[in-house]
């Protein structure tokens, strides 16, 4: 695989501590992109899938794999292999793409028809896909894991099942036991 | 003047030039003083000094001899005068006096004169260094004066802050010159060791863990009347602040509450009962009950609790049915009343608890102690009481902390420490797991709470179930007091603290050992012995203090066994429960100096590091056995120290790469902040040192980005600390705030919330962003109160996750 780099303990590429692989090469060139150094196809460095898998096994803190880039979907077979290994060791898989999920699914079926099932395999290994290009004019800080508000968090297994984009909802964190749920005096006086 | 008459008797008139023997020779007319000014030359000053030297050596009738010497000096001076054009300096003249004394055969007197000179020189140096220090405090702005920023939580701009520094600088010098053993003073002055809180050397001890419940049970006095036992959570919280503040006035170190949730829980219970009583009385009156019998309604609700079990709840319903039956109400109606009153009482209790915690935090960030220059160094431990009342306290405290102060600011105090324990709050399904998660969420936004780990073997060893005083507690930045050699049956946290601590400059010993590890160990042993000796000396001074010197700490029985002592009793015996800590700084630089790599870089260095700290621990353990006192090994936080040692060592040894080439020595056993390392590895490589440093320790992980947006990751790192055997840990991350729009998060040059810039030059409006950072364990609101070394350290920090 051609990669721009690896971050074995990323805390900014999806929930929890994640092993993030940044693939090299992207043709979208969104203005305001966070990682423009990952655009050129000949940048970054070569890294073998087994070597990356070895590094994943060493990342004791990580609980998930993130495929980002660059445009990860341009290297589907490597990504699919990493994602399969992630699932084998109990991790979940998040992937960032500048394409929409609808586009990726069409592309995958066209390629599959031509006998190349790599992208379809990759999509089937992703749990959450953050999709869509970064649009500078729709930039926002308010949405978790997204840079502009056109981007979505896609629940991939549900999307593949239903054949249409299903948005992912974060699991509810347990609410406090024993709480009456009342808004305990937020407007209280500052001094007793 | 006396001199005139003295010399008049000797037949000498004053201006030296009028001496008959010297008529016509070139005696200097002016002399250069030490400060560079020139004054008229006066030969009688020489005569006077020499006379005193003769007298001191028992010479009878010294004047003629002194005159002889003076003439000799003048002769040499005039011989010199033809060669040099500049006026002679005072030191130069004194050198000549020494030579003349010896050449005229007055060897004894020459010796007396030399000694006298040396004493004068020392006195002058002392005075000038004290005066320089005081001048700096008075005239230099704090941004230029490191002494003013020695402690980042003291506002040295203020009048009271300056007065505190005046006292502190004077006390330091006094202690150095008059109190300390010369060998200890020299070691401190030269930077071999650092005697912490030197200004308080003769006055008090460091810190204490306050058992609030004991104070509250019977009420207490702060010197002007008794405060009665508190009756509501609001009073509990207010009195907690007062106790912390009062105790702070008796000690120079941190004030900790080892079991804040347990201490506050009875206050919640009392508030619940009082709310229930007043609710049921209201219901009674509303339903047409006889006002004369309102007291009966109050009694009925007087044992209601926040979360009754099914039986208690049924009993509660039954008593309400009995109460209201005479009014002709059926069971269903009575149960509805019970339900309604209960709901209201619980809601009010929750609101009052939240307000109490809000006030607790506000008070601890505003009420000043120590001459009004700083808030108490407060810390509170909590997290393992599973009662509904205690859980409400912790939940409220965390929610208040998360909400921030009145303007949304991050609270600097108290340091909060969430005690993590398996079976209580660590795993999903544990009764307080939800509070652990809330603690992670809060810390991810506000840097507090820190996390202490009850299950670390060295902490678990002391825990006796059912005895909260044996659960681990930490004080402030890291201090840990648990084992008790003096009285092993009382290896507890309550009423105990550190007495004093002194740190060893390990990197210097390593540089001097010149790669010879054995030589290093030998000199470290000697230095450890010196420190132990010094701590024992200091304890002797502390031991002579009387109960009345600590009106709250001892007078109110906060310190263990002080209850029952009289104001005039000395505290020596009960101080033996406290700890004497031998600290160290710069293990990383030490290892680089010895073998070329630090413990983040190689396993060889990690092993050697363990041997070094292990040896220190063995030595402090042995000192404990020999003396019956609680010596401990301490991972020094080193705020004022981080720059001082390295500054002295760089002057002495030059800039050695990886050793003296930065502005600071690395904190205790930490892996250097500038060294890139994964969070997992940093934690696992620092964990073994926690087991060795029984006097206190903490590990930090620097986390990238805004962890409040990824609490799962935050919790994962805390769990890893637990699993690796860390005793006390915390996660650092940038907390910035724009005071204009209120945005809280990471702000670089531009506020992400409103797009504002702070920098005038870049088109901003000059209103600065607030940037909270942690410095040696305490949070500090503005970077300009950091001293130079710590500023450099913060700038060097790399992220681990």
């Amino acid at each position: 695989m051609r990669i721009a780099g690896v971050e074995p303990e990323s805390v900014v590429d999806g929930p929890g501590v994640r092993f993030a692989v940044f693939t090299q090469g992207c043709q979208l060139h969104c203005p305001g992109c966070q990682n423009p150094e990952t655009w050129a196809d000949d940048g970054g460095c070569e890294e073998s899938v087994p070597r990356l898998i070895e590094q994943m096994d060493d990342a004791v803190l990580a609980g998930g794999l993130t495929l980002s880039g660059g445009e990860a979907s341009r290297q589907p077979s490597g990504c699919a292999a990493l994602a399969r290994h992630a699932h084998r060791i109990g991790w979940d898989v998040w992937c960032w793409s500048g394409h929409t999920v609808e586009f990726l699914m069409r592309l995958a079926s066209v390629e599959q028809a031509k006998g190349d099932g790599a992208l379809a395999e990759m999509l089937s290994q992703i749990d959450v896909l953050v999709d869509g290009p970064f649009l500078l004019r729709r930039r926002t800080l308010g949405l978790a894991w997204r840079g502009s508000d056109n981007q979505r968090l896609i629940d991939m297994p549900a999307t593949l099942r239903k054949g249409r984009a299903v948005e992912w909802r974060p699991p509810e964190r347990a609410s406090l036991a024993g709480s009456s749920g009342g808004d305990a005096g937020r407007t209280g006086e500052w001094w007793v | 003047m006396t001199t005139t008459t003295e010399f008049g008797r000797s037949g000498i008139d004053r201006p030296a030039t009028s001496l008959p023997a010297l008529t016509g020779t070139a005696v200097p007319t002016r002399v250069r003083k030490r400060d560079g000014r020139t004054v008229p030359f006066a030969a009688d000053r020489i005569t006077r000094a020499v006379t005193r030297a003769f007298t001191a050596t028992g010479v009878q009738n010294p004047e003629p001899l002194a005159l002889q010497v003076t003439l000799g000096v003048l002769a040499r001076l005039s011989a010199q005068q033809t060669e040099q054009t500049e006026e002679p300096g005072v030191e130069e003249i004194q050198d000549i006096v020494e030579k003349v004394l010896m050449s005229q055969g007055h060897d004894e007197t020459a010796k007396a004169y030399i000694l006298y000179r040396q004493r004068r020189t020392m006195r002058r140096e002392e005075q000038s260094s004290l005066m320089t220090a005081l001048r700096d405090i008075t005239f230099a702005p704090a941004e230029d004066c490191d002494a003013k920023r020695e402690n980042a939580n003291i506002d040295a701009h203020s009048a009271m802050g300056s007065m505190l520094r005046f006292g502190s600088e004077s006390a330091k010098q006094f202690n150095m010159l008059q109190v300390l053993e010369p060998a200890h003073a020299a070691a401190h002055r030269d930077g071999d060791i650092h005697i912490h809180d030197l200004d308080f050397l003769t006055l008090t001890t460091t810190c204490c863990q306050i058992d609030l419940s004991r104070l509250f049970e019977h009420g207490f006095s702060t010197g002007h009347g008794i405060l009665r036992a508190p009756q509501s959570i609001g009073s509990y919280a207010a009195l907690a602040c007062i106790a912390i503040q009062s105790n702070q006035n008796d000690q120079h170190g941190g004030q900790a509450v080892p079991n804040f949730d347990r201490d506050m829980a009875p206050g919640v219970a009392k508030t619940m009962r009082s709310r229930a009583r007043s609710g049921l009385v209201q219901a009674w009156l509303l339903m047409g009950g006889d006002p004369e019998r309102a007291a009966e309604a109050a009694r009925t609700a007087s044992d209601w609790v926040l979360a009754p079990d099914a039986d208690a709840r049924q009993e509660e319903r039954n008593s309400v049915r009995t109460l209201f039956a005479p009014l002709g109400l059926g069971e269903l109606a009575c149960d509805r009343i019970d339900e309604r009153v209960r709901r209201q009482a619980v809601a009010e209790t929750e609101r009052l608890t939240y307000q109490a915690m809000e006030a607790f935090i506000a008070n601890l960030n505003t009420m000043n102690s120590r001459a009004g220059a700083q808030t108490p160094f407060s810390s509170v431990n909590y997290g393992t009481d599973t009662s509904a009342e205690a859980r409400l306290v912790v939940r409220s405290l965390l929610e208040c902390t998360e909400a921030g102060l009145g303007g949304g600011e991050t609270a600097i105090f108290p340091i909060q420490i969430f005690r993590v324990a398996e079976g209580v709050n660590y795993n999903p399904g544990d009764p307080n797991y939800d509070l652990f998660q809330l603690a992670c969420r809060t810390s991810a936004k506000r840097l507090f709470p820190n996390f202490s780990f009850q299950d670390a073997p060295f902490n678990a060893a002391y825990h006796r179930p059912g005895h909260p005083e044996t659960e681990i507690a930490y004080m402030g930045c890291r201090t840990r007091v648990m084992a008790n050699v003096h009285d092993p049956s009382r290896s507890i946290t309550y009423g105990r603290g550190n007495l004093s601590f002194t740190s060893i400059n390990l990197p210097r010993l390593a540089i001097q050992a010149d790669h010879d590890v054995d030589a290093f160990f030998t000199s470290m042993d000697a230095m450890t012995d010196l420190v132990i000796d010094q701590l024992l000396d200091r304890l002797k001074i502390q031991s002579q203090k009387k109960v009345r010197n600590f009106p709250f700490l001892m007078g109110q029985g906060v310190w263990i066994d002080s209850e029952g002592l009289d104001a005039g009793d000395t505290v020596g015996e009960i101080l033996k429960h406290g700890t004497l800590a031998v600290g160290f700084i710069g293990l990383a630089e030490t290892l680089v100096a010895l073998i070329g790599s630090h413990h983040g870089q190689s396993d060889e260095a990690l092993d050697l590091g363990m041997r070094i700290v292990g040896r220190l621990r063995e030595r402090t353990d042995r000192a404990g056995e020999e003396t019956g006192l609680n010596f401990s090994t301490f991972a020094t936080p080193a705020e004022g120290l981080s720059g001082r040692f390295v500054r002295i060592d760089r002057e002495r040894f030059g800039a050695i790469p990886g050793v003296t080439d930065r502005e600071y020595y690395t904190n205790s056993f930490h892996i250097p902040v500038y060294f890139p390392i994964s969070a997992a590895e940093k934690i696992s490589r620092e964990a073994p040192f926690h087991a060795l440093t029984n006097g206190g320790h903490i590990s930090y992980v620097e986390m990238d980005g805004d962890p409040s947006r990824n609490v799962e990751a935050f919790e994962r790192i805390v769990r890893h600390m637990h699993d690796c055997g860390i005793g006390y840990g915390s996660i650092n991350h940038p907390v910035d705030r724009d005071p204009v729009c209120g945005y809280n998060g990471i702000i670089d040059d531009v506020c992400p919330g409103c797009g504002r810039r702070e920098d005038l030059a870049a088109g901003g409006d000059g209103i600065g962003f607030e940037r909270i950072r942690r410095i040696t364990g305490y949070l500090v609101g503005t970077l300009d109160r950091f001293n130079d070394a710590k500023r450099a350290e913060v700038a060097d920090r790399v992220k681990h996750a």
Side-chain angles (χ1 to χ4, degrees):
Chain A
M1 288 180 79
R2 188 111 202 134
I3 63 164
V6 158
E7 177 52 70
E9 291 179 354
S10 171
V11 294
V12 293
D13 297 293
V17 181
R18 312 186 66 83
F19 187 93
V21 178
F22 298 89
T23 62
Q24 181 69 31
C26 177
Q27 291 176 323
L28 291 173
H29 298 194
C30 304
C33 171
Q34 277 214 317
N35 309 324
E37 67 282 359
T38 64
W39 291 351
D41 284 336
D42 55 357
C45 59
E46 277 299 324
E47 186 67 285
S48 73
V49 169
R51 275 275 306 144
L52 286 169
I53 283 177
E54 222 171 89
Q55 291 181 51
M56 286 168 70
D57 289 339
D58 286 344
V60 294
L61 269 187
L65 171 70
T66 288
L67 300 164
S68 185
E71 177 54 47
S73 68
R74 287 162 57 93
Q75 303 185 53
S77 55
C79 286
L82 296 180
R84 264 195 310 274
H85 183 70
H87 285 135
R88 256 201 304 278
I89 58 177
W91 292 3
D92 63 348
V93 177
W94 280 47
C95 176
W96 265 253
S97 172
H99 301 296
T100 61
V101 70
E102 290 83 358
F103 171 86
L104 289 173
M105 282 163 67
R106 276 202 306 278
L107 185 63
S109 58
V110 169
E111 286 185 351
Q112 208 160 17
K114 287 193 295 183
D116 180 358
L119 183 56
E121 164 69 2
M122 174 181 167
L123 292 182
S124 76
Q125 289 292 335
I126 294 170
D127 296 301
V128 176
L129 177 78
V130 186
D131 85 334
F134 171 65
L135 299 176
L136 196 51
R137 67 194 153 81
R138 296 182 67 173
R139 174 174 178 270
T140 174
L141 291 158
L143 295 174
W145 317 122
R146 284 156 287 178
S148 55
D149 65 9
N150 59 300
Q151 296 173 322
R152 299 171 296 180
L153 305 179
I154 301 295
D155 181 337
M156 273 318 285
T159 297
L160 292 175
R161 251 193 331 271
K162 299 201 171 161
R164 59 174 174 79
V166 178
E167 293 212 29
W168 177 79
R169 299 261 166 260
E172 292 280 317
R173 279 174 81 85
S175 66
L176 288 169
S179 161
S180 72
D183 58 335
R186 283 257 160 65
T187 55
E189 299 147 41
W190 197 228
W191 282 84
V192 263
Chain B
M1 292 197 304
T2 52
T3 46
T4 317
T5 50
E6 249 179 58
F7 284 94
R9 258 206 317 278
S10 313
I12 300 171
D13 280 324
R14 260 213 295 168
T17 44
S18 70
L19 281 172
L22 292 167
T23 312
T25 56
V27 170
T29 54
R30 298 187 75 78
V31 177
R32 199 165 13 85
K33 290 184 61 171
R34 290 177 187 83
D35 59 9
R37 284 179 298 159
T38 65
V39 292
F41 177 76
D44 62 328
R45 297 182 67 109
I46 299 174
T47 318
R48 215 170 356 133
V50 175
T51 306
R52 271 202 298 270
F54 277 121
T55 310
T57 40
V59 175
Q60 300 292 314
N61 190 22
E63 281 88 358
L65 288 175
L67 205 54
Q68 205 58 44
V69 173
T70 309
L71 288 172
V73 172
L74 290 177
R76 287 198 188 210
L77 273 174
S78 78
Q80 266 186 14
Q81 191 67 8
T82 53
E83 294 159 23
Q84 66 183 56
T85 51
E86 238 181 54
E87 44 296 278
V90 170
E91 296 292 330
E92 205 178 321
I93 294 177
Q94 290 183 343
D95 288 346
I96 295 174
V97 172
E98 276 179 33
K99 285 187 193 128
V100 173
L101 274 170
M102 300 215 274
S103 72
Q104 296 187 359
H106 308 301
D107 288 357
E108 276 302 302
T109 308
K111 214 162 105 187
Y113 184 77
I114 291 168
L115 284 173
Y116 161 78
R117 260 184 89 180
Q118 198 192 344
R119 269 203 308 278
R120 293 284 301 182
T121 307
M122 226 177 97
R123 180 78 48 87
R124 246 188 326 270
E125 271 170 12
E126 289 155 12
Q127 278 180 357
S128 75
S129 81
L130 176 58
M131 288 309 140
T132 308
L134 299 187
R135 201 176 305 122
D136 275 356
I137 292 164
T138 313
F139 298 115
E143 45 274 31
D144 301 337
C145 171
D146 233 21
K148 279 200 185 178
R149 287 180 276 121
E150 189 179 61
N151 191 316
N153 278 308
I154 298 178
D155 185 357
H157 292 286
S158 71
M160 292 305 157
S162 297
M163 186 51 87
L164 195 68
R165 302 283 341 146
F166 261 79
S168 166
E169 285 303 321
S170 315
K172 271 185 201 166
Q173 305 246 358
F174 174 75
N175 292 334
M176 283 287 280
L177 298 166
Q178 307 280 338
V179 182
L180 282 176
E181 282 289 317
H184 302 155
H188 177 84
R189 191 187 306 111
D190 297 345
D192 289 331
I193 62 171
H194 186 88
I195 301 170
H196 294 266
D197 301 293
L198 179 60
D199 42 354
F200 283 100
L201 185 85
T202 62
L203 304 177
T204 182
T205 59
T206 310
C207 53
C208 184
Q209 306 179 105
I210 308 172
D211 175 10
L212 288 177
S213 293
R214 200 199 68 82
L215 276 178
F216 289 173
E217 211 171 314
H218 306 296
F220 58 92
S221 165
T222 55
H224 303 283
I226 303 276
L227 300 166
R228 274 174 316 196
Q231 294 305 324
S232 69
I233 184 59
S235 313
Y236 268 69
L239 290 197
C241 292
I242 291 170
I244 289 169
Q245 184 189 29
S246 301
N247 219 46
Q248 181 71 83
N249 280 325
D250 285 350
Q251 293 192 298
H252 57 73
Q255 298 304 319
V257 178
N259 276 307
F260 186 71
D261 43 358
R262 277 191 180 79
D263 292 334
M264 291 297 115
V268 174
K270 286 179 184 176
T271 293
M272 174 65 195
R273 287 199 292 270
S274 119
R275 293 297 87 205
R277 278 197 301 269
S278 100
L280 202 60
V281 166
Q282 264 184 9
W284 170 257
L285 296 175
L286 271 174
M287 300 310 293
D290 179 1
E292 300 270 305
R293 291 186 55 211
E296 201 175 312
R299 254 196 317 279
T300 304
S302 64
D303 52 1
W304 285 19
V305 297
L306 205 54
D309 59 23
D311 288 352
R313 187 66 206 283
Q314 193 49 53
E315 211 167 291
E316 181 183 308
R317 283 198 198 94
N318 292 343
S319 65
V320 171
R321 288 174 191 168
T322 314
L323 177 71
F324 281 90
L327 299 182
L329 294 176
E331 287 190 354
L332 210 62
C334 290
D335 288 357
R336 266 212 304 277
I337 290 173
D338 169 79
E339 182 62 37
R340 181 64 220 278
V341 170
R342 160 162 286 282
R343 206 168 51 224
Q344 174 88 13
V346 168
E348 283 178 10
T349 304
E350 288 182 348
R351 183 174 56 82
L352 290 166
T353 305
Y354 186 88
Q355 283 178 6
M357 293 306 117
E358 213 172 28
F360 178 70
I361 296 174
N363 284 342
L364 286 182
N365 284 285
T366 47
M367 63 186 341
N368 282 316
S369 194
R370 299 208 203 180
Q374 64 193 115
T375 47
F377 288 171
S378 52
S379 33
V380 294
N381 296 262
Y382 54 74
T384 47
D385 187 335
T386 56
S387 74
E389 289 80 8
R391 286 172 43 75
L392 178 60
V393 167
V394 174
R395 191 184 99 204
S396 304
L397 185 62
L398 288 169
E399 283 175 348
C400 288
T401 306
E402 191 178 23
L405 295 173
E409 305 93 334
T410 293
I412 307 291
F413 286 114
I415 289 184
Q416 299 184 34
I417 303 150
F418 189 92
R419 183 189 288 130
V420 178
E422 282 173 37
V424 180
N425 54 33
Y426 182 62
N427 287 311
D430 288 347
N432 280 359
Y433 179 65
D434 54 345
L435 293 178
F436 172 56
Q437 286 198 305
L438 180 60
C440 287
R441 194 178 88 194
T442 305
S443 191
K445 184 168 178 193
R446 298 294 187 180
L447 293 160
F448 287 147
N450 301 336
F451 296 87
S452 69
F453 300 97
Q454 179 64 58
D455 304 315
F458 48 90
N459 287 336
Y462 295 95
H463 185 220
R464 283 181 286 134
H467 291 269
E469 70 275 18
T470 63
E471 291 184 26
I472 193 60
Y474 286 86
M475 274 176 281
C477 56
R478 71 189 59 199
T479 309
R480 176 181 178 279
V481 173
M482 196 76 233
N484 193 346
V485 182
H486 170 61
D487 181 355
S489 74
R490 286 194 293 165
S491 296
I492 58 174
T493 58
Y494 290 4
R496 301 177 62 216
N498 171 254
L499 302 176
S500 62
F501 64 110
T502 297
S503 296
I504 300 176
N505 182 352
L506 285 186
R508 168 173 307 172
L509 299 178
I511 297 168
Q512 286 170 332
D514 193 20
H515 305 94
D516 180 343
V517 173
D518 291 335
F520 169 80
F521 275 116
T522 308
S523 62
M524 186 178 90
D525 286 348
M527 201 57 77
T528 311
D529 288 345
L530 179 99
V531 169
I532 287 172
D533 205 39
Q534 182 267 321
L535 290 170
L536 285 171
D537 262 10
R538 188 172 185 163
L539 177 62
K540 266 186 219 142
I541 300 170
Q542 291 164 329
S543 296
Q544 285 159 9
K545 294 274 160 195
K546 299 200 156 61
V547 168
R548 72 164 64 90
N549 298 124
F550 313 92
F552 196 80
L553 177 71
M554 303 289 183
Q556 294 299 312
V558 174
W559 187 266
I560 186 167
D561 285 353
S562 62
E563 204 171 13
L565 292 187
D566 290 330
D569 290 338
T570 52
V571 296
E573 193 54 30
I574 56 174
L575 283 187
K576 289 179 182 168
H577 291 290
T579 61
L580 300 166
V582 181
F584 62 94
I585 185 166
L587 182 66
E589 287 79 5
T590 303
L591 293 167
V592 172
L594 285 174
I595 59 169
S597 62
H598 60 67
H599 51 313
Q601 292 170 310
S602 77
D603 290 344
E604 185 200 358
L606 180 61
D607 286 346
L608 180 57
M610 294 285 295
R611 273 174 59 206
I612 292 172
V613 181
R615 175 100 146 216
L616 198 57
R617 171 66 185 276
E618 272 168 33
R619 187 66 196 91
T620 53
D621 279 356
R622 197 161 74 234
E625 283 163 27
E626 287 163 6
T627 58
L629 297 167
N630 291 301
F631 278 95
S632 60
T633 297
F634 181 65
T636 304
E639 182 175 350
L641 182 54
S642 63
R644 192 176 92 91
F645 278 170
V646 77
R647 209 163 40 238
I648 306 175
D649 289 348
R650 199 182 314 121
E651 264 169 40
R652 194 180 284 188
F653 306 107
I656 306 169
V659 185
T660 58
D661 60 345
R662 292 185 190 260
E663 293 293 306
Y664 51 88
Y665 279 149
T666 296
N667 197 326
S668 63
F669 57 70
H670 288 184
I671 287 165
V673 293
Y674 57 80
F675 182 70
I677 186 169
S678 74
E681 192 160 8
K682 182 177 193 315
I683 292 167
S684 66
R685 284 179 172 267
E686 289 184 2
F689 293 100
H690 284 237
L692 293 174
T693 46
N694 55 344
H697 42 238
I698 189 165
S699 279
Y700 294 116
V701 164
E702 303 285 329
M703 193 164 160
D704 193 11
D706 181 353
S708 67
R709 295 183 169 213
N710 193 351
V711 181
E712 296 91 335
F714 191 98
E715 183 180 330
R716 181 72 193 90
I717 295 172
V718 175
R719 300 184 77 83
H720 190 65
M721 288 181 172
H722 170 276
D723 297 348
C724 285
I726 291 271
Y728 184 30
S730 192
I731 296 171
N732 286 334
H733 49 88
V735 175
D736 301 335
R737 184 174 164 276
D738 182 353
V740 173
C741 73
Y743 177 85
N744 196 90
I746 298 167
I747 307 179
D748 292 327
D749 296 335
V750 179
C751 170
C754 64
R756 195 175 70 82
R757 286 175 179 276
E758 60 177 340
D759 190 1
L760 279 175
D765 51 16
I767 303 170
F769 300 130
E770 295 162 10
R771 299 177 191 279
I772 302 266
R773 298 291 182 272
R774 194 190 311 266
I775 173 165
T776 65
Y778 293 95
L779 299 190
V780 177
T782 61
L783 294 176
D784 49 272
R785 274 198 218 165
F786 280 33
N787 61 40
D788 293 335
K790 275 292 162 187
R791 273 195 221 193
E793 197 235 76
V794 170
D796 279 356
R797 288 180 186 173
V798 294
K799 305 293 179 195
H800 306 119

